[in-house]
Amino acid sequence: MTNKLILTLVLTLTSSLAFAAEHTVEMKNMGTDGMMVFEPAVINVAVGDTVNFEPTDSAHNSESVPGLTPKGSVTWKGEMSQKISVTIDKEGVYIYKCMPHSVLAMVGVIIAGKPTNLDEIKKSSKALTTTFATNNDRLNKYLSQVK
Ligand SMILES: [Cu+2]
């Protein structure tokens, strides 16, 4: 291996480490958007960043919603009342939910880089929205904040 190649590898590695940020989303019984919420519910991250879901209140989890993440992206399913860390690996919009409170619209949105799949997500998320017993417009409100 040439010295130049080694240097390139080292620089690539250190730059990706330097720019990978951590984000915290709390799982709460009560927040600024009402009862049973992720807070903040809408976050912008960069590809390679990590999102830490914190069990601020118990009896919540975070799990990605099948079909509502970028194609081929990471998916996750956190345990109840446990922290879960997710490293975002593809550009686009991700929708996740709390399993026991999905019916109360306990959902959240991650935008990694540009929201390249936003139109698709808006269409595909209608099926999820119809399962909400309360806060029916919460997800649409969140998606309207996506830039
Ligand atoms: Cu919950």
Side-chain angles (χ1 to χ4, degrees), residues 10-126:
V10 169
L11 287 176
T12 307
L13 186 64
T14 47
S15 63
S16 64
L17 286 175
F19 291 110
E22 303 257 335
H23 305 266
T24 299
V25 174
E26 291 184 275
M27 304 188 269
K28 298 174 81 170
N29 293 345
M30 179 59 83
T32 49
D33 295 328
M35 285 172 66
M36 308 304 177
V37 288
F38 291 99
E39 199 166 274
V42 181
I43 58 167
N44 285 83
V45 308
V47 173
D49 285 2
T50 297
V51 181
N52 300 307
F53 294 95
E54 297 283 350
T56 305
D57 292 313
S58 59
H60 300 288
N61 81 330
S62 167
E63 56 184 70
S64 52
V65 180
L68 297 182
T69 63
K71 279 197 176 63
S73 77
V74 64
T75 58
W76 65 93
K77 188 175 174 116
E79 298 293 322
M80 293 292 293
S81 308
Q82 298 296 314
K83 176 181 172 170
I84 181 172
S85 298
V86 180
T87 300
I88 300 300
D89 63 351
K90 290 273 190 311
E91 186 170 67
V93 180
Y94 298 67
I95 295 181
Y96 59 88
K97 64 178 184 179
C98 165
M99 204 235 302
H101 302 121
S102 178
V103 72
L104 304 177
M106 184 165 173
V107 294
V109 181
I110 298 168
I111 306 105
K114 294 197 180 79
T116 46
N117 58 341
L118 181 60
D119 288 343
E120 208 180 314
I121 288 284
K122 280 184 174 169
K123 266 183 230 151
S124 309
S125 64
K126 282 180 186 144

